Amino acid sequence: RNCDITGEEKEQTGGRDVRRSQEPQRGNGREPIADQFGGDVDLRARLSEQLTRGLTECMVCLERVRQVQATWDCHNCYQVFHIGCIRKWAKTATTESGGWRCPGCQAVTATLPRDYRCFCRKVRNPEWNRNEGLVPHSCGEVCQRPRAWVGCVHRCVELCHAGPCPPCTATVEVECPCGKERRRGRCGEQVRCGQECGRELGCGVHSCEAACHEGECGQCEEVIQIGCYCGENKKTVPCSKTASPSYSCSSPCPRPLACGYHPCTSSCHPGECLPCSLTVESVTHCPCGKNQLDLFYSRDSVPPRDSCLAPVPLCGLTCGKSLPCGPPSSPHTCPTPCHTGPCPPCPLSTSVRCRCGHMDQEMVCTLLTTRADDARCGKRCQKKRSCGRHKCGELCCIQVEHICTLLCGRLLSCNLHRCEELCHRGNCHSCPMVSFDELSCHCGSAVTFPPVPCGTRPPECVELCRKEHQCGHQVTHNCHSEATCPPCTQLTTKLCYGGHEQRRNVACLVEGISCGKPCGADLPCGRHPCPRPCHPGPCTANTCTQPCSVYRPCGHPCSTPCHPGQCPDTPCATQIKISCSCGHRQAGVPCSENAYSRVTTALLATRMQDVQSGNSVNLAELAKRDRKLECNEDCMKIDRNYRLATALQISNPELTSKVIPRYSEFMKDWVRRDPTFCTMVHTKLADLIKLAKDSKQKSRAFSFPCMNRDKRQLVHEYADHFGCESESYDSEPKRNVVVTALRDRSHLPSVSLVECVAKQKKAPPPVQASSTAAPKPTFTPLERGGSEPKIDWFG
């Protein structure tokens, strides 16, 4: 059964359970009462079994109700509670009418539960004996409760029991609702004669034409047409015995007054029109009311009025009628002479003060729309209401407590219904709705019996989930109430996105994996493969930005961003290494640069003569082959040392032992700032050179600790003087320098950085005066072929 009956519905039905009388009635015969009460029989049997075994659960404390514990049961939902729990609940779940709501069905009960009584409420503190075979909390006597069946006057004859009483089995004379047919039948049986009802409707004029039915007849559907008092308009109204034959249309009355000259100034009205207010009998004073007209007739010889059309004499005095403006205690008066008709606008001003005190000013009387003591300003109240959520917003507010009159409307804990109380502070109460349907899990193994509070989650089930799974693997999780099952964790073998390789032991829930290799799919340009790591979906690069791999005439690739058609005519930016004639100096220059050798330019001018003679010349090979650096003084010194070593028959000479390194000012400043650090760097590099010379490997590397930018620059420059390669790795602040020493190229400098700076600090010795001049030293020129004539190629 689905019996969600709220407290309001319970109050409307007078506190009785009317669910049984609301079942549809069909036909003229008897209806199977036992079938109608099949659900009640099951409910009584289930309650009796649970009470006997002590399995009934109190909805307040959620504990089981034992056989010897004091209880209270609701006669609407038949739920059983502990007497102490229901007393505490009744004190908190009160209603505006003074009653309290049942926690199971929300039915309103007027009185508080005081004593522990049996189900039929006749015996206080009933005793239960297991051997007597009675249901716990039953007195064992005849129930004698009135049956909850419309029209039944007999009481229950069963022993005191839990749950609803069984249907009445007495045989009585039953009558159809319209009273046209009577016969013998079971008590409470509903009889329908099938004839026309014929009972008088609420209008008192027409009768019900529906078939014989239970309850009140419907409203009369006939309508009547009535006219207004003045006879100008008509309208239709529902048929009713108390309906008025006429109504007021609120239009001006079109009938003339009794005088025959003036029209009626009232709206549509019943009866005769009012007499004319300007007749001779009605007007006895002047318009201001200060003098009688008889005085004017006798004193001023004014001819008396003979009809309502004659003008009313004026006294000439000040009118003095009270105007609606001015202070309430002394309103302004009309300052014009005695006159007919309404008074003209007041030329004065009034001191106006609104009720909240925000507006206090002088205002021209013609602008006043209300009394001076009832003025309202346009200030909107910005204070919070009692709920703390909404602002008052009232114009010219004078309230002390700003009560919020809006509905709360917040979603309750059940996430299905909204709070219907006035907007309030704090959390909303729990949802008052309750269901009498059984709540089960998805597979139906676990069941929560009614009444079930709204928002209750399905019970937990220990059975395996029976839902269909797309993967087809064996289910390992329990039954659940969520719409989607947990992801499958079975280990499988899956192919990567690009189809490069298969990975084992991958969970089924993982939809795709990346092997990390380059994608390799052809891009739209048709020249390059996709460089991205293995990825899902298509390669989304609209335009390829990889360097063009087409070779130039110089032998280097184009290297411009990928482009269609021929390569653009741009200078080749590939870095190439050039050296001097002796090979001591090396430098990296762009392939297109031609400004490093005058010899190349001179040879190019010579080859031009061959071009003029008609011979072909490959200028790219010429520039590539002849491009060299010029030798410097160091090259000359190395060449001189080499020739001396050859002449003296010295094997494996250290040609650079006499060459003093040229340390930069930056490195010299570091010696002055931190000589210890400079000594440490020199020691590490010297040990690395020694290790590389003694090792069978081609190179050895050493990683310096993390340091700042200036220290890393010192290490880089110092490594160059040792003939080592250096590179920085990682990002700040963990960036460090790794130095690699090559066995064939690395060497120790002749003078360390600290020694070089120490020699510069020493002052020169004083010059001793001598009468005999010392002989000047003789220097050997270091240039090769110094005596050879120089060729001027551009002379």
Side-chain angles (χ1 to χ4, degrees):
R1 296 183 302 158
N2 189 4
C3 304
D4 295 341
I5 300 180
T6 60
E8 289 76 5
E9 295 173 350
K10 190 71 178 181
E11 293 175 349
Q12 293 174 3
T13 57
R16 296 180 301 168
D17 189 356
V18 299
R19 291 170 288 178
R20 299 167 185 166
S21 62
Q22 294 176 352
E23 297 181 358
Q25 307 293 338
R26 299 183 299 274
N28 299 331
R30 299 180 178 179
E31 296 184 356
I33 298 180
D35 293 345
Q36 299 177 11
F37 285 86
D40 293 342
V41 175
D42 296 341
L43 179 60
R44 287 197 302 272
R46 179 164 55 83
L47 285 175
S48 299
E49 181 182 2
Q50 291 180 352
L51 289 172
T52 303
R53 299 173 59 186
L55 300 178
T56 306
E57 186 179 86
C58 176
M59 292 185 61
V60 179
C61 65
L62 303 180
E63 297 290 339
R64 291 187 178 182
V65 180
R66 302 301 178 183
Q67 295 89 337
V68 295
Q69 291 178 334
T71 61
W72 180 88
D73 63 298
C74 177
H75 280 185
N76 183 68
C77 64
Y78 309 108
Q79 184 69 27
V80 181
F81 308 90
H82 293 118
I83 186 66
C85 296
I86 202 64
R87 287 175 181 173
K88 295 179 181 178
W89 176 273
K91 293 179 181 179
T92 57
T94 57
T95 60
E96 297 179 356
S97 60
W100 58 278
R101 295 182 181 273
C102 171
C105 60
Q106 301 298 310
V108 178
T109 305
T111 59
L112 296 176
R114 299 182 181 276
D115 303 325
Y116 166 43
R117 291 181 177 271
C118 63
F119 297 113
C120 63
R121 302 292 194 268
K122 289 187 297 185
V123 177
R124 181 183 300 175
N125 299 326
E127 296 182 0
W128 177 71
N129 189 352
R130 186 183 301 271
N131 298 326
E132 292 181 358
L134 297 176
V135 179
H137 320 294
S138 172
C139 63
E141 300 180 4
V142 179
C143 179
Q144 291 295 319
R145 282 187 293 176
R147 302 181 188 273
W149 185 263
V150 178
C152 181
V153 296
H154 305 95
R155 293 181 177 272
C156 179
V157 295
E158 299 287 335
L159 295 181
C160 183
H161 59 87
C165 295
C168 183
T169 58
T171 302
V172 296
E173 187 175 351
V174 294
E175 182 181 6
C176 69
C178 65
K180 296 180 180 179
E181 182 179 345
R182 299 173 63 89
R183 64 184 179 187
R184 300 289 295 179
R186 183 176 296 177
C187 180
E189 181 182 0
Q190 301 296 328
V191 179
R192 303 287 186 274
C193 64
Q195 302 180 18
E196 184 178 330
C197 178
R199 288 183 289 183
E200 188 179 74
L201 297 177
C203 64
V205 180
H206 303 92
S207 60
C208 178
E209 298 178 356
C212 182
H213 60 88
E214 185 70 28
E216 298 292 336
C217 298
Q219 298 293 333
C220 181
E221 298 180 356
E222 299 291 334
V223 294
I224 57 177
Q225 191 174 24
I226 59 176
C228 65
Y229 296 113
C230 64
E232 296 292 333
N233 300 310
K234 295 182 178 180
K235 70 175 182 179
T236 57
V237 295
C239 177
S240 175
K241 184 186 296 185
T242 60
S244 176
S246 300
Y247 73 101
S248 176
C249 64
S250 301
S251 300
C253 181
R255 293 178 291 183
L257 298 179
C259 66
Y261 300 110
H262 299 95
C264 180
T265 58
S266 302
S267 58
C268 181
H269 59 86
E272 298 295 332
C273 298
L274 298 175
C276 182
S277 60
L278 297 179
T279 58
V280 177
E281 294 80 8
S282 301
V283 180
T284 59
H285 291 74
C286 64
C288 66
K290 296 181 179 180
N291 296 305
Q292 296 184 355
L293 297 182
D294 295 338
L295 180 62
F296 298 143
Y297 300 154
S298 60
R299 185 185 64 183
D300 300 335
S301 301
V302 176
R305 299 176 70 244
D306 55 355
S307 67
C308 62
L309 297 178
V312 179
L314 305 177
C315 66
L317 300 178
T318 302
C319 177
K321 292 181 180 179
S322 297
L323 298 177
C325 55
S329 58
S330 57
H332 295 164
T333 58
C334 181
T336 58
C338 182
H339 59 87
T340 58
C343 296
C346 180
L348 303 178
S349 60
T350 304
S351 177
V352 179
R353 179 182 176 84
C354 68
R355 60 179 187 174
C356 72
H358 177 70
M359 180 181 66
D360 188 1
Q361 60 183 3
E362 288 285 335
M363 185 176 293
V364 180
C365 294
T366 55
L367 300 179
L368 285 177
T369 56
T370 59
R371 296 186 308 169
D373 59 343
D374 194 28
R376 307 290 176 89
C377 67
K379 181 183 178 181
R380 193 172 298 275
C381 182
Q382 299 296 327
K383 293 183 179 179
K384 289 284 188 179
R385 295 186 179 182
S386 58
C387 63
R389 296 169 55 193
H390 305 105
K391 291 184 178 180
C392 178
E394 184 179 351
L395 296 178
C396 196
C397 178
I398 58 173
Q399 297 181 9
V400 178
E401 295 182 0
H402 303 265
I403 305 298
C404 186
T405 58
L406 302 176
L407 288 179
C408 177
R410 287 184 289 188
L411 201 63
L412 297 177
S413 57
C414 63
N415 293 330
L416 297 176
H417 306 97
R418 295 188 177 274
C419 181
E420 298 180 356
E421 298 180 359
L422 293 179
C423 195
H424 55 85
R425 292 180 180 269
N427 298 329
C428 300
H429 297 291
S430 58
C431 183
M433 307 302 292
V434 67
S435 174
F436 285 88
D437 292 333
E438 293 181 352
L439 180 63
S440 62
C441 63
H442 183 267
C443 65
S445 299
V447 181
T448 300
F449 294 101
V452 181
C454 183
T456 303
R457 293 179 60 85
E460 295 184 1
C461 181
V462 296
E463 301 291 334
L464 291 178
C465 180
R466 301 178 185 177
K467 295 182 180 180
E468 296 183 0
H469 299 78
Q470 297 180 356
C471 62
H473 295 136
Q474 183 179 1
V475 179
T476 57
H477 58 270
N478 293 342
C479 178
H480 55 88
S481 59
E482 288 78 10
T484 58
C485 292
C488 180
T489 58
Q490 184 74 23
L491 298 181
T492 60
T493 301
K494 291 192 175 184
L495 196 66
C496 67
Y497 293 117
H500 306 124
E501 62 180 21
Q502 285 186 345
R503 293 289 180 90
R504 297 181 180 180
N505 298 331
V506 179
C508 179
L509 60 93
V510 179
E511 297 183 357
I513 57 174
S514 173
C515 63
K517 298 179 180 179
C519 175
D522 293 337
L523 294 179
C525 67
R527 299 181 179 180
H528 302 97
C530 179
R532 295 172 54 192
C534 183
H535 60 86
C539 302
T540 57
N542 296 328
T543 58
C544 180
T545 58
Q546 300 184 47
C548 178
S549 58
V550 178
Y551 287 94
R552 298 172 179 267
C554 63
H556 299 126
C558 175
S559 299
T560 56
C562 186
H563 55 82
Q566 297 181 354
C567 296
D569 188 11
T570 57
C572 180
T574 304
Q575 294 286 331
I576 62 174
K577 289 187 177 180
I578 60 175
S579 61
C580 62
S581 300
C582 65
H584 175 67
R585 295 185 59 196
Q586 291 184 354
V589 296
C591 178
S592 59
E593 186 64 44
N594 275 331
Y596 286 92
S597 179
R598 291 181 298 175
V599 177
T600 301
T601 307
L603 293 177
L604 180 60
T606 305
R607 294 297 179 91
M608 290 299 294
Q609 298 177 0
D610 297 338
V611 175
Q612 294 177 359
S613 302
N615 300 326
S616 60
V617 179
N618 191 345
L619 300 181
E621 295 181 358
L622 177 64
K624 184 177 180 181
R625 182 177 64 251
D626 297 334
R627 188 176 307 162
K628 292 183 179 180
L629 294 176
E630 295 182 358
C631 293
N632 56 7
E633 296 181 0
D634 293 340
C635 297
M636 301 301 179
K637 292 180 181 180
I638 294 174
D639 183 62
R640 184 193 62 184
N641 293 341
Y642 178 77
R643 286 188 281 113
L644 288 175
T646 303
L648 298 176
Q649 298 180 357
I650 300 175
S651 60
N652 298 327
E654 180 61 40
L655 304 179
T656 60
S657 59
K658 301 301 181 179
V659 179
I660 299 176
R662 297 183 179 180
Y663 297 111
S664 62
E665 294 297 328
F666 172 79
M667 300 178 68
K668 296 177 182 179
D669 292 339
W670 259 103
V671 176
R672 302 183 185 97
R673 290 162 50 188
D674 192 354
T676 305
F677 177 73
C678 297
T679 304
M680 184 272 294
V681 174
H682 181 86
T683 304
K684 295 295 184 182
L685 292 177
D687 295 343
L688 181 62
I689 296 298
K690 182 179 180 181
L691 182 62
K693 295 294 185 181
D694 298 340
S695 175
K696 296 181 180 180
Q697 301 177 3
K698 294 182 179 181
S699 61
R700 285 284 186 167
F702 175 77
S703 177
F704 281 88
C706 301
M707 55 185 67
N708 57 26
R709 183 176 180 179
D710 293 342
K711 291 184 178 181
R712 293 198 304 269
Q713 182 179 351
L714 175 65
V715 175
H716 284 301
E717 294 186 11
Y718 217 163
D720 290 339
H721 289 283
F722 279 80
C724 300
E725 297 178 355
S726 59
E727 186 72 24
S728 296
Y729 295 94
D730 297 334
S731 58
E732 298 288 354
K734 301 294 184 179
R735 197 168 179 82
N736 67 323
V737 180
V738 176
V739 179
T740 303
L742 302 177
R743 184 177 58 184
D744 300 333
R745 290 180 48 189
S746 301
H747 58 272
L748 295 174
S750 58
V751 179
S752 66
L753 177 61
V754 178
E755 294 175 352
C756 181
V757 175
K759 290 180 180 180
Q760 293 180 0
K761 290 182 179 180
K762 294 181 179 180
V767 179
Q768 297 180 359
S770 176
S771 58
T772 305
K776 295 183 179 181
T778 302
F779 296 97
T780 304
L782 298 179
E783 297 182 359
R784 289 189 302 172
S787 60
E788 299 177 359
K790 295 183 179 180
I791 302 175
D792 188 1
W793 299 96
F794 300 94

